[in-house]
Amino acid sequence: MKLKKDFLWGGAVAANQVEGAFEVGGKGLSVADVMTYKANVNVKDYKRNVQVTSEDIAAAIADHTTTDYPKRRGIDQYHHFKEDIALFKELGFKVYRFSIAWTRIFPTGEEMSPNRAGIAYYQEFIKELKANDIEPLVTLSHYEMPLELALKYNGWQDKRVIDLFVKFAKVCFENFSEVKYWLTFNEIDSVTRHPFISAGIIEDQTARLEEAEYQALHNQFVASAIVTKLVHEIIPNSQVGCMLTKLTTYPATAAPGDVLAALNKNIMNYYCADVQVKGAYPKLILSYFKQHDIKLKTTSEELQTIKENTVDFISFSYYMSLLAAQKEDGLTMTVGNTVAGGKNPYLKTTDWGWTVDPVGLRISLIELYDRYQKPLFIVENGMGAKDILESDGTIHDSYRIEYFEQHLSEMKKAVEAGVELLGYTSWAPIDLISASTSQMSKRYGFIYVDQDDEGNGTLKRYKKDSFKWYQHVIKTNGEEL
Ligand code: BG6
């Protein structure tokens, strides 16, 4: 079985990691704009990368520079988008995944009417994509909610944020009606891993953190269901996906206790998709809430909305896999995508300690399709690495080609096994600021951007060796890897 003729090949980014121009066109501050650069990838400290205190926020608000806040400068795609889209066209992209910064449309989240300059920017952007035959795939929320809503409501744990988000989404649907594919919340399950970035929850202002996280998730489920209904009404033939961080976990050994530990991790990883695809909370999660004294504020009307407005497809990110064991102290630990877990001795790791597990992608696709029986979309997969720009402007990234070649080969095998897959967008087609560490030196792209961790550089774009390789993959619809 081959990939479908209209298979959506492309790349994925988020506004806060590429756009820059953080105070241009009336944009307000988002939670991403207060994240500082962290060079550290130490397994013991991995959580520190994504933690933000009230003190950090106050210092960031007083500082209007981009020096310590790389997401404020991104790769300046705001001013380079025509050039970047031309490169994506050259790659043969059928689709480009990006997010709409809420703070460009509603700078604090609470304005009565939207910011026209923000709308105009994205209209131009989408027009340019369309003119180049590239389908937009838009994420409404990708770690960049208005900072004001974090400060005023302590983020998504407050139900008033639901209406504010719905107002934002409605403006997007009405003004960007050419967009057919929408994702509501990027890696929605990440609220329990980094509550500030994903849900605007400031930990030191929160008494019962775990309860607040699950409440925020519930409020996001409700918001997601409401806007799913809305977009179906406003844009005919539109399709909405949930977006899950696929954290594939294997048992460290065949010991039943280890198998159980892995099973429990995977169940917790699946729970958000369960709610958004099946329209109801899984019973095991309700038991977990009881056992952990987590009391959610829900109404029957909200639960009905969730039930009636499930997603059309399931999108997910996949980067690595980890091991779980009954006794974790026996494991050699390593980091993954804002998680830590046991290191699999059969797998190599990237410079940042993430395991490279192509078969894990096939396993993930089969598991997800078997569980949900709905079309899947891989909207993030890629490798962060240190690249070297040679004096002649070339970048020889054979390691990246190898990574993609292996993952795409496993993806094809899953499709051969019967998995229905809409498309594949690599993370990320162009170098950008890392979500977790705000490093520029953690490079993902087929396109190199001349900028270092301190923000020095010309921002000139260069094609890496992998550019030509991915171009050929798309041209042959994945037949030749
Ligand atoms: C995903 C996020 O979790 O992983 C992206 O959706 C992020 O925003 C990507 O960039 C890679 O993570 P990092 O920390 O290497 O940028």
Side-chain angles (χ1 to χ4, degrees):
M1 205 183 295
K2 291 184 179 181
L3 297 177
K4 290 191 282 190
K5 272 208 186 79
D6 56 355
F7 188 80
L8 291 165
W9 290 101
V13 301
N16 72 88
Q17 293 173 259
V18 294
E19 282 181 3
F22 82 111
E23 284 181 326
V24 176
K27 182 185 171 297
L29 278 187
S30 81
V31 292
D33 292 320
V34 301
M35 300 297 292
T36 51
Y37 166 76
K38 311 264 174 33
N40 171 294
V41 287
N42 187 323
V43 64
K44 291 200 192 84
D45 268 353
Y46 78 96
K47 273 201 169 158
R48 202 172 60 84
N49 289 334
V50 285
Q51 274 166 339
V52 179
T53 64
S54 297
E55 220 175 297
D56 296 333
I57 298 171
I61 292 172
D63 183 343
H64 285 264
T65 72
T66 61
T67 323
D68 296 323
Y69 305 98
K71 286 175 187 150
R72 294 180 179 184
R73 54 177 185 262
I75 53 163
D76 200 25
Q77 189 169 77
Y78 187 88
H79 294 110
H80 289 73
F81 76 86
K82 292 201 173 162
E83 177 187 349
D84 290 349
I85 291 173
L87 286 164
F88 300 147
K89 167 82 176 168
E90 197 179 331
L91 275 163
F93 276 17
K94 315 282 181 227
V95 68
Y96 184 58
R97 174 182 173 221
F98 62 99
S99 63
I100 291 181
W102 188 347
T103 51
R104 285 203 191 281
I105 310 295
F106 289 101
T108 66
E110 295 206 287
E111 290 76 5
M112 295 299 284
S113 49
N115 173 26
R116 297 311 312 176
I119 293 177
Y121 169 70
Y122 289 110
Q123 280 173 335
E124 271 298 295
F125 191 91
I126 292 165
K127 198 167 128 203
E128 191 68 18
L129 284 175
K130 286 277 182 184
N132 285 282
D133 300 316
I134 301 173
E135 197 69 46
L137 164 59
V138 171
T139 316
L140 285 167
S141 179
H142 194 136
Y143 305 160
E144 53 208 4
M145 72 183 294
L147 181 63
E148 192 63 26
L149 302 183
L151 295 169
K152 190 164 169 188
Y153 300 113
N154 208 358
W156 273 97
Q157 63 172 334
D158 191 312
K159 285 191 192 287
R160 283 172 289 185
V161 176
I162 300 176
D163 289 345
L164 297 171
F165 179 77
V166 171
K167 181 174 70 170
F168 158 63
K170 188 161 183 266
V171 167
C172 291
F173 303 149
E174 285 169 349
N175 287 279
F176 315 128
S177 54
E178 315 88 310
V179 178
K180 192 172 153 202
Y181 296 99
W182 296 86
L183 306 180
T184 50
F185 292 90
N186 179 66
E187 297 186 332
I188 190 163
D189 49 286
S190 65
V191 170
T192 56
R193 297 195 299 280
H194 35 76
F196 179 71
I197 313 174
S198 301
I201 297 172
I202 304 165
E203 293 185 39
D204 57 60
Q205 301 294 313
T206 313
R208 290 169 57 80
L209 183 62
E210 200 185 8
E211 187 172 82
E213 290 167 354
Y214 284 106
Q215 183 64 56
L217 271 169
H218 174 75
N219 296 341
Q220 292 192 347
F221 295 147
V222 175
S224 181
I226 295 173
V227 306
T228 298
K229 183 167 192 272
L230 211 56
V231 72
H232 285 153
E233 286 164 6
I234 298 176
I235 309 178
N237 302 322
S238 54
Q239 292 196 44
V240 183
C242 57
M243 201 308 201
L244 159 82
T245 324
K246 185 67 184 78
L247 296 170
T248 303
T249 306
Y250 306 137
T253 71
D258 291 353
V259 176
L260 187 64
L263 176 70
N264 284 332
K265 290 230 171 196
N266 286 321
I267 285 174
M268 288 310 274
N269 180 227
Y270 273 129
Y271 120 78
C272 294
D274 286 345
V275 176
Q276 294 187 287
V277 179
K278 297 179 181 175
Y281 277 88
K283 287 185 180 158
L284 288 178
I285 292 299
L286 296 176
S287 303
Y288 176 90
F289 291 163
K290 251 194 197 140
Q291 284 152 16
H292 291 78
D293 194 27
I294 293 167
K295 296 191 183 80
L296 295 192
K297 290 187 203 101
T298 65
T299 66
S300 50
E301 194 192 345
E302 287 173 353
L303 296 174
Q304 191 62 23
T305 302
I306 291 173
K307 192 173 175 186
E308 284 170 7
N309 299 286
T310 54
V311 291
D312 304 308
F313 65 92
I314 297 139
S315 78
F316 66 100
S317 63
Y318 173 83
Y319 291 93
M320 27 52 60
S321 61
L322 290 167
L323 299 184
Q326 190 173 9
K327 288 189 186 136
E328 284 212 333
D329 47 1
L331 292 173
T332 306
M333 298 296 277
T334 192
V335 280
N337 190 0
T338 63
V339 283
K343 183 175 176 307
N344 190 330
Y346 297 98
L347 301 174
K348 289 192 279 189
T349 55
T350 68
D351 293 341
W352 272 262
W354 299 19
T355 55
V356 177
D357 181 10
V359 178
L361 176 60
R362 173 149 55 129
I363 293 169
S364 302
L365 283 161
I366 292 172
E367 270 182 6
L368 282 166
Y369 195 60
D370 184 49
R371 191 176 183 101
Y372 300 123
Q373 318 270 321
K374 285 228 178 189
L376 306 180
F377 203 144
I378 301 169
V379 294
E380 285 188 33
N381 173 237
M383 176 195 201
K386 290 175 190 149
D387 292 332
I388 297 168
L389 174 65
E390 306 287 351
S391 52
D392 61 356
T394 55
I395 300 99
H396 305 300
D397 58 342
S398 53
Y399 37 89
R400 186 168 290 106
I401 295 174
E402 191 185 333
Y403 178 98
F404 281 117
E405 192 268 332
Q406 291 174 350
H407 282 77
L408 293 178
S409 159
E410 294 301 324
M411 175 188 90
K412 281 167 57 182
K413 288 178 199 159
V415 171
E416 274 160 30
V419 169
E420 192 182 347
L421 188 63
L422 297 173
Y424 175 94
T425 58
S426 73
W427 187 272
I430 185 163
D431 294 346
L432 40 58
I433 307 293
S434 155
S436 56
T437 63
S438 294
Q439 290 170 299
M440 185 69 210
S441 49
K442 190 178 188 185
R443 295 178 181 274
Y444 280 90
F446 306 117
I447 301 161
Y448 183 96
V449 178
D450 179 27
Q451 179 178 226
D452 67 13
D453 284 335
E454 280 78 47
N456 306 305
T458 59
L459 291 173
K460 191 168 171 231
R461 277 66 166 147
Y462 296 87
K463 296 174 200 167
K464 303 182 192 176
D465 287 355
S466 55
F467 185 99
K468 216 169 164 202
W469 178 84
Y470 195 48
Q471 186 183 49
H472 187 71
V473 170
I474 298 178
K475 201 170 163 201
T476 63
N477 198 24
E479 284 298 293
E480 292 170 28
L481 299 181

